[in-house]
Amino acid sequence: MSVRVRPSAPCIGRIAVSANSLSMNVSDFHFELPSELIARYPLAQRSASRLLTLDGATGKTSHHRFLDLPTFLAPGDLLVFNNTRVIPARLFGRKETGGQLEILVERVTGEHRLLAHVRASKSPKAGQKIILEDQSVLRMQGRQDALFELSSESGEPVLDLLERIGHMPLPPYVDRPDESTDRERYQTVYARESGAVAAPTAGLHFDQPLLAALAEKGIESAFVTLHVGAGTFQPVRVDRIEDHIMHSEIAHVPEETVAAVARTRARGGRVIAVGTTSVRSLESASREGQLKPFRGETDIFIFPGYRFQCVDAMVTNFHLPESTLIMLVSAFAGQNHVMAAYEEAIRGRYRFFSYGDAMFITGQVSSLGAANANTPPGDLL
């Protein structure tokens, strides 16, 4: 497998953010990945994954187990998790005319309505019924660009319908049907807020014993919510970073998380985002130069040249070479450092993508939040 990546202009709630980046092309994010390194199943134990650490300031790497994560954190640090819950967002059925189709929910928009991608030989037309596997009926109401507006005809709330007959929306590169165990394993142990159609996969490595060990060491935890959409898997189809239009997702940074960050800054601790979705949530909520409570749409696109406002370190998985996610990580730790670390991970036979291994990464420079608080990011590695 080989993939390529191209970044584009970052936005917060459709407001452009200056990135001061040099023009970059997709080839700058290209790497070759042997197919056998794609993790198609999770390990038996969540925290048994490997952990590659990367110092963004120097490019230095080291190899560990995920259970070693507490050794890279200090009392007073803050871990910020995304507590979104993945819904069983894939449905199978047929049009009333007989044609088979597949539905991938993008977003639940009301108790009985949703927006979805529909794969069929011929797209359903407005007013047409879709008959699901259990004979439940959805009706096609209209289109929003490439997405279809569907409503439940039975009066059953769509979230209940999805929980009852939906399939877990495994990513395209996990090229197998979902299994019953995916209901648990493609979900973080702290998932609370239903709405995502893809998992915040950096969080899949945390189990309750590890969370308890982190708390015992004095590591504080806080939560944001970003409902990951199917757009996270869409390839970047432009040649220049500046030309890409980022998909939009719903995010929520509550007051208590803002307060936890303030306490962390006051005691000289670091803000460590668990996953790129937590990064995007925190940076979206820092759009005015200061972290504030935030609820709404965000289409922030972070690529090299971006100056981080809030995040000092991150836990993340290995990302597709064509994804906006590897661009975000490259913005954080340096494109050359990240691409070299990925090459090292491939040589070391790390497992890639959603069910794969993890990285712990420190930034090239202190976030503006840490700098404004006069607190250095600290030596993590």
Side-chain angles (χ1 to χ4, degrees), residues 76-78 220 258-272 282-283 286 291 308-313 366-377:
D77 285 344
L78 174 70
E220 190 174 354
V258 174
V261 170
R263 290 194 302 270
T264 301
R265 295 296 185 210
R267 63 180 174 249
R270 298 164 301 186
V271 176
I272 299 158
L282 292 169
E283 294 297 312
S286 303
L291 182 67
F308 285 82
Q309 303 289 314
C310 186
V311 177
D312 304 313
S366 301
S367 70
L368 291 174
N372 292 339
N374 296 314
T375 57

Side-chain angles (χ1 to χ4, degrees), residues 340-360:
Y342 270 54
E343 290 178 7
E344 185 174 342
I346 292 169
R347 288 194 300 271
R349 310 296 291 176
Y350 277 71
R351 303 166 71 249
F352 272 63
F353 307 153
S354 295
Y355 275 148
D357 294 316
M359 298 184 74
F360 178 66

Side-chain angles (χ1 to χ4, degrees), residues 14 20 31 43 52 54-55 57 63 68 100 108 131 140 157 164 177 210 217 223 232 247 258 272 279 363:
R14 309 200 181 280
N20 300 318
F31 64 84
L43 297 176
L52 178 67
L54 171 62
D55 184 338
H63 303 272
D68 298 328
Q100 300 296 307
V108 174
I131 302 165
M140 212 291 251
R164 186 168 55 79
L210 179 57
K217 186 172 179 177
F223 296 91
T232 194
H247 61 282
V258 174
I272 299 158
V279 173

Side-chain angles (χ1 to χ4, degrees), residues 89 91-95 99-106 114-125 128-130 132 138-143 145-150 230:
L91 296 166
F92 296 94
R94 58 180 173 85
K95 294 181 288 185
Q100 300 296 307
L101 51 74
E102 177 183 340
I103 297 168
L104 178 61
V105 177
E106 173 69 25
L114 53 85
L115 278 174
H117 305 265
V118 176
R119 181 186 297 177
S121 57
K122 290 185 178 180
S123 298
K125 298 178 181 179
Q128 194 170 25
K129 291 181 180 179
I130 295 172
L132 302 177
L138 299 176
R139 188 176 294 275
M140 212 291 251
Q141 299 292 346
R143 297 282 295 267
D145 299 323
L147 297 174
F148 292 76
E149 297 182 77
L150 306 176

Side-chain angles (χ1 to χ4, degrees), residues 3 13 59 88 165 179 215 234 241 260 269 277 285 288-289 300 314 326 350 358 370:
V3 204
I165 65 169
E179 300 176 6
Q234 295 299 312
I241 292 174
T277 58
E288 297 176 1
I300 186 172
M314 72 171 73
I326 195 173
Y350 277 71

